[in-house]
mmCIF file of all heavy atoms in Angstrom:
data_model
loop_
_atom_site.group_PDB
_atom_site.id
_atom_site.type_symbol
_atom_site.label_atom_id
_atom_site.label_comp_id
_atom_site.label_asym_id
_atom_site.label_seq_id
_atom_site.Cartn_x
_atom_site.Cartn_y
_atom_site.Cartn_z
ATOM 1 N N THR A 1 16.774 7.713 8.069
ATOM 2 C CA THR A 1 17.371 7.155 6.863
ATOM 3 C C THR A 1 17.246 8.101 5.678
ATOM 4 O O THR A 1 16.135 8.483 5.322
ATOM 5 C CB THR A 1 16.676 5.817 6.500
ATOM 6 O OG1 THR A 1 16.731 4.947 7.621
ATOM 7 C CG2 THR A 1 17.316 5.161 5.300
ATOM 8 N N PRO A 2 18.364 8.500 5.078
ATOM 9 C CA PRO A 2 18.290 9.287 3.858
ATOM 10 C C PRO A 2 17.677 8.433 2.721
ATOM 11 O O PRO A 2 17.998 7.264 2.606
ATOM 12 C CB PRO A 2 19.737 9.647 3.533
ATOM 13 C CG PRO A 2 20.532 9.287 4.735
ATOM 14 C CD PRO A 2 19.732 8.269 5.503
ATOM 15 N N ILE A 3 16.804 9.046 1.950
ATOM 16 C CA ILE A 3 16.155 8.355 0.865
ATOM 17 C C ILE A 3 16.680 8.855 -0.477
ATOM 18 O O ILE A 3 16.940 8.083 -1.400
ATOM 19 C CB ILE A 3 14.636 8.517 0.932
ATOM 20 C CG1 ILE A 3 14.147 7.861 2.227
ATOM 21 C CG2 ILE A 3 13.933 7.943 -0.266
ATOM 22 C CD1 ILE A 3 12.719 8.141 2.552
ATOM 23 N N LYS A 4 16.839 10.186 -0.582
ATOM 24 C CA LYS A 4 17.337 10.803 -1.799
ATOM 25 C C LYS A 4 18.232 11.961 -1.385
ATOM 26 O O LYS A 4 17.997 12.593 -0.347
ATOM 27 C CB LYS A 4 16.192 11.344 -2.659
ATOM 28 C CG LYS A 4 15.188 10.326 -3.079
ATOM 29 C CD LYS A 4 13.989 10.981 -3.681
ATOM 30 C CE LYS A 4 12.906 9.927 -3.854
ATOM 31 N NZ LYS A 4 11.573 10.436 -3.819
ATOM 32 N N ALA A 5 19.212 12.267 -2.250
ATOM 33 C CA ALA A 5 20.051 13.417 -1.987
ATOM 34 C C ALA A 5 20.587 13.945 -3.307
ATOM 35 O O ALA A 5 20.746 13.201 -4.267
ATOM 36 C CB ALA A 5 21.201 13.056 -1.054
ATOM 37 N N GLU A 6 20.822 15.257 -3.336
ATOM 38 C CA GLU A 6 21.419 15.897 -4.488
ATOM 39 C C GLU A 6 22.263 17.066 -4.010
ATOM 40 O O GLU A 6 21.858 17.788 -3.094
ATOM 41 C CB GLU A 6 20.335 16.378 -5.451
ATOM 42 C CG GLU A 6 20.921 16.984 -6.708
ATOM 43 C CD GLU A 6 19.865 17.347 -7.729
ATOM 44 O OE1 GLU A 6 18.787 16.729 -7.741
ATOM 45 O OE2 GLU A 6 20.148 18.255 -8.536
ATOM 46 N N ILE A 7 23.389 17.237 -4.641
ATOM 47 C CA ILE A 7 24.262 18.355 -4.363
ATOM 48 C C ILE A 7 24.163 19.346 -5.518
ATOM 49 O O ILE A 7 24.255 18.952 -6.675
ATOM 50 C CB ILE A 7 25.724 17.912 -4.148
ATOM 51 C CG1 ILE A 7 25.823 17.036 -2.903
ATOM 52 C CG2 ILE A 7 26.652 19.126 -4.029
ATOM 53 C CD1 ILE A 7 27.167 16.425 -2.665
ATOM 54 N N THR A 8 23.964 20.625 -5.167
ATOM 55 C CA THR A 8 23.845 21.671 -6.174
ATOM 56 C C THR A 8 24.726 22.839 -5.781
ATOM 57 O O THR A 8 25.221 22.898 -4.652
ATOM 58 C CB THR A 8 22.403 22.189 -6.306
ATOM 59 O OG1 THR A 8 22.039 22.832 -5.097
ATOM 60 C CG2 THR A 8 21.417 21.056 -6.627
ATOM 61 N N PRO A 9 24.923 23.799 -6.669
ATOM 62 C CA PRO A 9 25.551 25.043 -6.261
ATOM 63 C C PRO A 9 24.750 25.661 -5.108
ATOM 64 O O PRO A 9 23.537 25.441 -5.003
ATOM 65 C CB PRO A 9 25.480 25.938 -7.510
ATOM 66 C CG PRO A 9 25.408 24.955 -8.639
ATOM 67 C CD PRO A 9 24.610 23.805 -8.120
ATOM 68 N N HIS A 10 25.401 26.436 -4.259
ATOM 69 C CA HIS A 10 24.760 26.946 -3.056
ATOM 70 C C HIS A 10 23.597 27.904 -3.348
ATOM 71 O O HIS A 10 22.731 28.098 -2.514
ATOM 72 C CB HIS A 10 25.770 27.655 -2.152
ATOM 73 C CG HIS A 10 26.119 29.050 -2.575
ATOM 74 N ND1 HIS A 10 27.014 29.297 -3.576
ATOM 75 C CD2 HIS A 10 25.666 30.237 -2.164
ATOM 76 C CE1 HIS A 10 27.117 30.616 -3.751
ATOM 77 N NE2 HIS A 10 26.284 31.199 -2.913
ATOM 78 N N ASN A 11 23.538 28.464 -4.541
ATOM 79 C CA ASN A 11 22.514 29.443 -4.845
ATOM 80 C C ASN A 11 21.302 28.864 -5.585
ATOM 81 O O ASN A 11 20.454 29.630 -6.049
ATOM 82 C CB ASN A 11 23.108 30.614 -5.636
ATOM 83 C CG ASN A 11 23.754 30.175 -6.922
ATOM 84 O OD1 ASN A 11 23.890 28.972 -7.187
ATOM 85 N ND2 ASN A 11 24.173 31.129 -7.725
ATOM 86 N N VAL A 12 21.186 27.555 -5.656
ATOM 87 C CA VAL A 12 20.033 26.928 -6.305
ATOM 88 C C VAL A 12 18.856 26.905 -5.349
ATOM 89 O O VAL A 12 19.010 26.472 -4.194
ATOM 90 C CB VAL A 12 20.381 25.499 -6.788
ATOM 91 C CG1 VAL A 12 19.139 24.739 -7.223
ATOM 92 C CG2 VAL A 12 21.406 25.561 -7.914
ATOM 93 N N ASN A 13 17.709 27.395 -5.807
ATOM 94 C CA ASN A 13 16.511 27.382 -4.997
ATOM 95 C C ASN A 13 16.126 25.948 -4.636
ATOM 96 O O ASN A 13 16.145 25.058 -5.490
ATOM 97 C CB ASN A 13 15.365 28.053 -5.753
ATOM 98 C CG ASN A 13 14.156 28.289 -4.889
ATOM 99 O OD1 ASN A 13 13.613 27.377 -4.274
ATOM 100 N ND2 ASN A 13 13.715 29.539 -4.849
ATOM 101 N N ASP A 14 15.746 25.694 -3.392
ATOM 102 C CA ASP A 14 15.475 24.348 -2.914
ATOM 103 C C ASP A 14 14.364 23.644 -3.659
ATOM 104 O O ASP A 14 14.369 22.411 -3.775
ATOM 105 C CB ASP A 14 15.140 24.373 -1.414
ATOM 106 C CG ASP A 14 16.280 24.870 -0.565
ATOM 107 O OD1 ASP A 14 17.407 24.996 -1.080
ATOM 108 O OD2 ASP A 14 16.063 25.154 0.627
ATOM 109 N N ILE A 15 13.403 24.383 -4.185
ATOM 110 C CA ILE A 15 12.283 23.737 -4.875
ATOM 111 C C ILE A 15 12.722 23.087 -6.186
ATOM 112 O O ILE A 15 12.099 22.134 -6.650
ATOM 113 C CB ILE A 15 11.119 24.738 -5.094
ATOM 114 C CG1 ILE A 15 9.846 24.008 -5.542
ATOM 115 C CG2 ILE A 15 11.491 25.809 -6.109
ATOM 116 C CD1 ILE A 15 9.283 23.057 -4.542
ATOM 117 N N ILE A 16 13.807 23.552 -6.780
ATOM 118 C CA ILE A 16 14.233 22.992 -8.072
ATOM 119 C C ILE A 16 14.599 21.517 -7.978
ATOM 120 O O ILE A 16 14.015 20.684 -8.688
ATOM 121 C CB ILE A 16 15.367 23.872 -8.680
ATOM 122 C CG1 ILE A 16 14.795 25.247 -9.050
ATOM 123 C CG2 ILE A 16 15.993 23.160 -9.898
ATOM 124 C CD1 ILE A 16 15.812 26.251 -9.449
ATOM 125 N N PRO A 17 15.492 21.089 -7.083
ATOM 126 C CA PRO A 17 15.750 19.650 -6.991
ATOM 127 C C PRO A 17 14.537 18.893 -6.421
ATOM 128 O O PRO A 17 14.306 17.751 -6.780
ATOM 129 C CB PRO A 17 16.964 19.519 -6.068
ATOM 130 C CG PRO A 17 17.167 20.847 -5.473
ATOM 131 C CD PRO A 17 16.455 21.859 -6.294
ATOM 132 N N ALA A 18 13.766 19.521 -5.520
ATOM 133 C CA ALA A 18 12.601 18.863 -4.953
ATOM 134 C C ALA A 18 11.629 18.467 -6.055
ATOM 135 O O ALA A 18 11.055 17.365 -6.030
ATOM 136 C CB ALA A 18 11.921 19.754 -3.915
ATOM 137 N N ARG A 19 11.437 19.340 -7.021
ATOM 138 C CA ARG A 19 10.507 19.029 -8.119
ATOM 139 C C ARG A 19 11.039 17.929 -9.028
ATOM 140 O O ARG A 19 10.278 17.303 -9.741
ATOM 141 C CB ARG A 19 10.230 20.292 -8.929
ATOM 142 C CG ARG A 19 9.407 21.286 -8.090
ATOM 143 C CD ARG A 19 8.933 22.398 -8.922
ATOM 144 N NE ARG A 19 7.904 21.848 -9.824
ATOM 145 C CZ ARG A 19 7.000 22.574 -10.418
ATOM 146 N NH1 ARG A 19 6.987 23.859 -10.251
ATOM 147 N NH2 ARG A 19 6.117 22.029 -11.218
ATOM 148 N N GLU A 20 12.340 17.691 -8.972
ATOM 149 C CA GLU A 20 12.928 16.622 -9.794
ATOM 150 C C GLU A 20 12.869 15.270 -9.086
ATOM 151 O O GLU A 20 12.935 14.237 -9.746
ATOM 152 C CB GLU A 20 14.364 16.975 -10.160
ATOM 153 C CG GLU A 20 14.439 18.179 -11.106
ATOM 154 C CD GLU A 20 15.856 18.624 -11.382
ATOM 155 O OE1 GLU A 20 16.818 17.946 -10.940
ATOM 156 O OE2 GLU A 20 16.006 19.643 -12.056
ATOM 157 N N PHE A 21 12.768 15.271 -7.757
ATOM 158 C CA PHE A 21 12.617 14.010 -7.028
ATOM 159 C C PHE A 21 11.282 13.383 -7.385
ATOM 160 O O PHE A 21 10.275 14.070 -7.475
ATOM 161 C CB PHE A 21 12.690 14.226 -5.513
ATOM 162 C CG PHE A 21 14.033 14.627 -4.989
ATOM 163 C CD1 PHE A 21 14.129 15.515 -3.928
ATOM 164 C CD2 PHE A 21 15.218 14.107 -5.514
ATOM 165 C CE1 PHE A 21 15.351 15.892 -3.401
ATOM 166 C CE2 PHE A 21 16.442 14.489 -5.007
ATOM 167 C CZ PHE A 21 16.507 15.376 -3.953
ATOM 168 N N LYS A 22 11.258 12.085 -7.562
ATOM 169 C CA LYS A 22 10.014 11.385 -7.895
ATOM 170 C C LYS A 22 9.093 11.434 -6.651
ATOM 171 O O LYS A 22 9.493 11.110 -5.550
ATOM 172 C CB LYS A 22 10.310 9.928 -8.251
ATOM 173 C CG LYS A 22 9.081 9.132 -8.641
ATOM 174 C CD LYS A 22 9.457 7.697 -8.987
ATOM 175 C CE LYS A 22 8.271 6.871 -9.383
ATOM 176 N NZ LYS A 22 7.324 6.640 -8.331
ATOM 177 N N ILE A 23 7.860 11.819 -6.871
ATOM 178 C CA ILE A 23 6.873 11.833 -5.784
ATOM 179 C C ILE A 23 6.388 10.435 -5.547
ATOM 180 O O ILE A 23 6.012 9.725 -6.486
ATOM 181 C CB ILE A 23 5.684 12.765 -6.140
ATOM 182 C CG1 ILE A 23 6.153 14.215 -6.241
ATOM 183 C CG2 ILE A 23 4.563 12.628 -5.119
ATOM 184 C CD1 ILE A 23 5.106 15.176 -6.786
ATOM 185 N N GLU A 24 6.402 10.021 -4.289
ATOM 186 C CA GLU A 24 5.893 8.709 -3.924
ATOM 187 C C GLU A 24 4.449 8.855 -3.476
ATOM 188 O O GLU A 24 4.171 9.505 -2.471
ATOM 189 C CB GLU A 24 6.747 8.092 -2.818
ATOM 190 C CG GLU A 24 8.157 7.808 -3.267
ATOM 191 C CD GLU A 24 9.004 7.152 -2.185
ATOM 192 O OE1 GLU A 24 8.419 6.469 -1.304
ATOM 193 O OE2 GLU A 24 10.225 7.328 -2.211
ATOM 194 N N PRO A 25 3.508 8.289 -4.230
ATOM 195 C CA PRO A 25 2.100 8.405 -3.855
ATOM 196 C C PRO A 25 1.829 7.915 -2.438
ATOM 197 O O PRO A 25 2.547 7.055 -1.908
ATOM 198 C CB PRO A 25 1.384 7.521 -4.882
ATOM 199 C CG PRO A 25 2.309 7.457 -6.051
ATOM 200 C CD PRO A 25 3.697 7.499 -5.446
ATOM 201 N N ASN A 26 0.829 8.502 -1.814
ATOM 202 C CA ASN A 26 0.365 8.105 -0.464
ATOM 203 C C ASN A 26 1.426 8.324 0.617
ATOM 204 O O ASN A 26 1.467 7.595 1.584
ATOM 205 C CB ASN A 26 -0.120 6.650 -0.447
ATOM 206 C CG ASN A 26 -1.187 6.421 -1.483
ATOM 207 O OD1 ASN A 26 -2.161 7.162 -1.565
ATOM 208 N ND2 ASN A 26 -1.000 5.408 -2.308
ATOM 209 N N THR A 27 2.254 9.310 0.437
ATOM 210 C CA THR A 27 3.320 9.620 1.383
ATOM 211 C C THR A 27 3.041 10.974 2.006
ATOM 212 O O THR A 27 2.451 11.836 1.400
ATOM 213 C CB THR A 27 4.687 9.625 0.660
ATOM 214 O OG1 THR A 27 4.911 8.308 0.126
ATOM 215 C CG2 THR A 27 5.827 9.996 1.567
ATOM 216 N N THR A 28 3.502 11.147 3.246
ATOM 217 C CA THR A 28 3.444 12.449 3.896
ATOM 218 C C THR A 28 4.772 13.156 3.673
ATOM 219 O O THR A 28 5.830 12.587 3.940
ATOM 220 C CB THR A 28 3.195 12.286 5.410
ATOM 221 O OG1 THR A 28 1.927 11.667 5.604
ATOM 222 C CG2 THR A 28 3.210 13.634 6.107
ATOM 223 N N TYR A 29 4.705 14.387 3.162
ATOM 224 C CA TYR A 29 5.892 15.204 2.953
ATOM 225 C C TYR A 29 5.848 16.385 3.922
ATOM 226 O O TYR A 29 4.833 17.088 4.001
ATOM 227 C CB TYR A 29 5.960 15.720 1.506
ATOM 228 C CG TYR A 29 6.322 14.636 0.515
ATOM 229 C CD1 TYR A 29 5.341 13.877 -0.084
ATOM 230 C CD2 TYR A 29 7.657 14.371 0.210
ATOM 231 C CE1 TYR A 29 5.681 12.872 -1.000
ATOM 232 C CE2 TYR A 29 8.000 13.373 -0.680
ATOM 233 C CZ TYR A 29 7.000 12.621 -1.281
ATOM 234 O OH TYR A 29 7.335 11.627 -2.170
ATOM 235 N N VAL A 30 6.964 16.609 4.613
ATOM 236 C CA VAL A 30 7.084 17.709 5.564
ATOM 237 C C VAL A 30 8.257 18.571 5.115
ATOM 238 O O VAL A 30 9.360 18.038 4.865
ATOM 239 C CB VAL A 30 7.299 17.202 6.998
ATOM 240 C CG1 VAL A 30 7.377 18.358 7.985
ATOM 241 C CG2 VAL A 30 6.207 16.207 7.410
ATOM 242 N N PHE A 31 8.024 19.883 4.987
ATOM 243 C CA PHE A 31 9.085 20.750 4.481
ATOM 244 C C PHE A 31 8.826 22.161 4.938
ATOM 245 O O PHE A 31 7.772 22.493 5.481
ATOM 246 C CB PHE A 31 9.153 20.693 2.940
ATOM 247 C CG PHE A 31 7.798 20.739 2.255
ATOM 248 C CD1 PHE A 31 7.217 21.947 1.922
ATOM 249 C CD2 PHE A 31 7.126 19.553 1.969
ATOM 250 C CE1 PHE A 31 5.982 21.989 1.292
ATOM 251 C CE2 PHE A 31 5.894 19.600 1.320
ATOM 252 C CZ PHE A 31 5.320 20.815 0.998
ATOM 253 N N ASP A 32 9.829 23.031 4.756
ATOM 254 C CA ASP A 32 9.751 24.393 5.247
ATOM 255 C C ASP A 32 9.485 25.357 4.086
ATOM 256 O O ASP A 32 9.219 24.953 2.959
ATOM 257 C CB ASP A 32 11.044 24.746 5.987
ATOM 258 C CG ASP A 32 10.806 25.820 7.060
ATOM 259 O OD1 ASP A 32 9.698 26.350 7.159
ATOM 260 O OD2 ASP A 32 11.764 26.119 7.788
ATOM 261 N N LEU A 33 9.618 26.636 4.374
ATOM 262 C CA LEU A 33 9.259 27.699 3.415
ATOM 263 C C LEU A 33 10.045 27.674 2.116
ATOM 264 O O LEU A 33 9.578 28.220 1.120
ATOM 265 C CB LEU A 33 9.423 29.061 4.087
ATOM 266 C CG LEU A 33 8.427 29.378 5.181
ATOM 267 C CD1 LEU A 33 8.837 30.635 5.924
ATOM 268 C CD2 LEU A 33 7.027 29.505 4.644
ATOM 269 N N ALA A 34 11.205 27.058 2.099
ATOM 270 C CA ALA A 34 11.998 27.014 0.873
ATOM 271 C C ALA A 34 11.317 26.226 -0.237
ATOM 272 O O ALA A 34 11.688 26.316 -1.399
ATOM 273 C CB ALA A 34 13.377 26.430 1.162
ATOM 274 N N TYR A 35 10.299 25.468 0.111
ATOM 275 C CA TYR A 35 9.566 24.621 -0.836
ATOM 276 C C TYR A 35 8.175 25.181 -1.109
ATOM 277 O O TYR A 35 7.236 24.457 -1.397
ATOM 278 C CB TYR A 35 9.488 23.195 -0.307
ATOM 279 C CG TYR A 35 10.857 22.617 -0.035
ATOM 280 C CD1 TYR A 35 11.425 22.729 1.224
ATOM 281 C CD2 TYR A 35 11.595 22.004 -1.029
ATOM 282 C CE1 TYR A 35 12.685 22.222 1.480
ATOM 283 C CE2 TYR A 35 12.851 21.500 -0.806
ATOM 284 C CZ TYR A 35 13.397 21.621 0.461
ATOM 285 O OH TYR A 35 14.642 21.126 0.697
ATOM 286 N N TYR A 36 8.042 26.494 -1.031
ATOM 287 C CA TYR A 36 6.759 27.166 -1.182
ATOM 288 C C TYR A 36 6.438 27.285 -2.668
ATOM 289 O O TYR A 36 6.863 28.224 -3.340
ATOM 290 C CB TYR A 36 6.857 28.556 -0.559
ATOM 291 C CG TYR A 36 5.565 29.097 0.006
ATOM 292 C CD1 TYR A 36 5.187 28.777 1.289
ATOM 293 C CD2 TYR A 36 4.734 29.904 -0.741
ATOM 294 C CE1 TYR A 36 4.010 29.268 1.836
ATOM 295 C CE2 TYR A 36 3.565 30.398 -0.217
ATOM 296 C CZ TYR A 36 3.205 30.068 1.065
ATOM 297 O OH TYR A 36 2.040 30.548 1.612
ATOM 298 N N ASN A 37 5.684 26.338 -3.178
ATOM 299 C CA ASN A 37 5.390 26.312 -4.611
ATOM 300 C C ASN A 37 4.028 25.651 -4.812
ATOM 301 O O ASN A 37 3.880 24.448 -4.629
ATOM 302 C CB ASN A 37 6.479 25.551 -5.348
ATOM 303 C CG ASN A 37 6.293 25.567 -6.838
ATOM 304 O OD1 ASN A 37 5.467 24.845 -7.356
ATOM 305 N ND2 ASN A 37 7.080 26.386 -7.521
ATOM 306 N N PHE A 38 3.026 26.450 -5.186
ATOM 307 C CA PHE A 38 1.659 25.927 -5.308
ATOM 308 C C PHE A 38 1.540 24.858 -6.386
ATOM 309 O O PHE A 38 0.728 23.930 -6.235
ATOM 310 C CB PHE A 38 0.683 27.069 -5.590
ATOM 311 C CG PHE A 38 0.533 28.040 -4.458
ATOM 312 C CD1 PHE A 38 -0.134 29.244 -4.654
ATOM 313 C CD2 PHE A 38 1.034 27.813 -3.188
ATOM 314 C CE1 PHE A 38 -0.296 30.168 -3.624
ATOM 315 C CE2 PHE A 38 0.874 28.715 -2.151
ATOM 316 C CZ PHE A 38 0.227 29.886 -2.391
ATOM 317 N N GLU A 39 2.298 24.943 -7.460
ATOM 318 C CA GLU A 39 2.249 23.894 -8.497
ATOM 319 C C GLU A 39 2.724 22.580 -7.937
ATOM 320 O O GLU A 39 2.143 21.507 -8.208
ATOM 321 C CB GLU A 39 3.109 24.289 -9.697
ATOM 322 C CG GLU A 39 2.535 25.424 -10.512
ATOM 323 C CD GLU A 39 3.441 25.833 -11.656
ATOM 324 O OE1 GLU A 39 4.434 25.105 -11.956
ATOM 325 O OE2 GLU A 39 3.168 26.882 -12.273
ATOM 326 N N TRP A 40 3.815 22.610 -7.168
ATOM 327 C CA TRP A 40 4.352 21.380 -6.580
ATOM 328 C C TRP A 40 3.353 20.818 -5.563
ATOM 329 O O TRP A 40 3.138 19.611 -5.520
ATOM 330 C CB TRP A 40 5.722 21.643 -5.959
ATOM 331 C CG TRP A 40 6.444 20.437 -5.495
ATOM 332 C CD1 TRP A 40 6.795 19.337 -6.261
ATOM 333 C CD2 TRP A 40 6.908 20.172 -4.202
ATOM 334 N NE1 TRP A 40 7.463 18.424 -5.471
ATOM 335 C CE2 TRP A 40 7.542 18.911 -4.206
ATOM 336 C CE3 TRP A 40 6.864 20.881 -2.988
ATOM 337 C CZ2 TRP A 40 8.106 18.351 -3.063
ATOM 338 C CZ3 TRP A 40 7.446 20.328 -1.872
ATOM 339 C CH2 TRP A 40 8.070 19.072 -1.920
ATOM 340 N N TRP A 41 2.759 21.676 -4.757
ATOM 341 C CA TRP A 41 1.750 21.226 -3.799
ATOM 342 C C TRP A 41 0.587 20.569 -4.513
ATOM 343 O O TRP A 41 0.061 19.545 -4.060
ATOM 344 C CB TRP A 41 1.243 22.385 -2.960
ATOM 345 C CG TRP A 41 2.264 23.049 -2.091
ATOM 346 C CD1 TRP A 41 3.564 22.684 -1.903
ATOM 347 C CD2 TRP A 41 2.075 24.228 -1.318
ATOM 348 N NE1 TRP A 41 4.200 23.560 -1.042
ATOM 349 C CE2 TRP A 41 3.301 24.516 -0.690
ATOM 350 C CE3 TRP A 41 0.984 25.081 -1.122
ATOM 351 C CZ2 TRP A 41 3.465 25.613 0.152
ATOM 352 C CZ3 TRP A 41 1.160 26.164 -0.280
ATOM 353 C CH2 TRP A 41 2.379 26.426 0.349
#
C-alpha cells in the first residue's frame, strides 16, 4: 500500500522529499543509498 508520494523533477535528490515527509514515530524505515543523510537518520 502506498502511504505517501511526491513527483519532482528527475534531478531532485531523493533525500529532499524524504525529509519533507512526516516521520511516524515507532516505525521501521527501509531505504537505499539515495537517502544517505546522517541528519535525517
Side-chain angles (χ1 to χ4, degrees):
T1 305
I3 297 170
K4 301 170 190 152
E6 183 174 334
I7 295 175
T8 66
H10 80 279
N11 58 352
V12 169
N13 189 305
D14 297 349
I15 193 63
I16 293 171
R19 291 189 70 160
E20 293 175 6
F21 290 144
K22 182 180 180 293
I23 295 172
E24 295 182 26
N26 305 310
T27 298
T28 297
Y29 287 90
V30 182
F31 44 88
D32 208 354
L33 290 170
Y35 303 92
Y36 211 87
N37 184 283
F38 294 169
E39 288 177 11
W40 188 58
W41 297 353

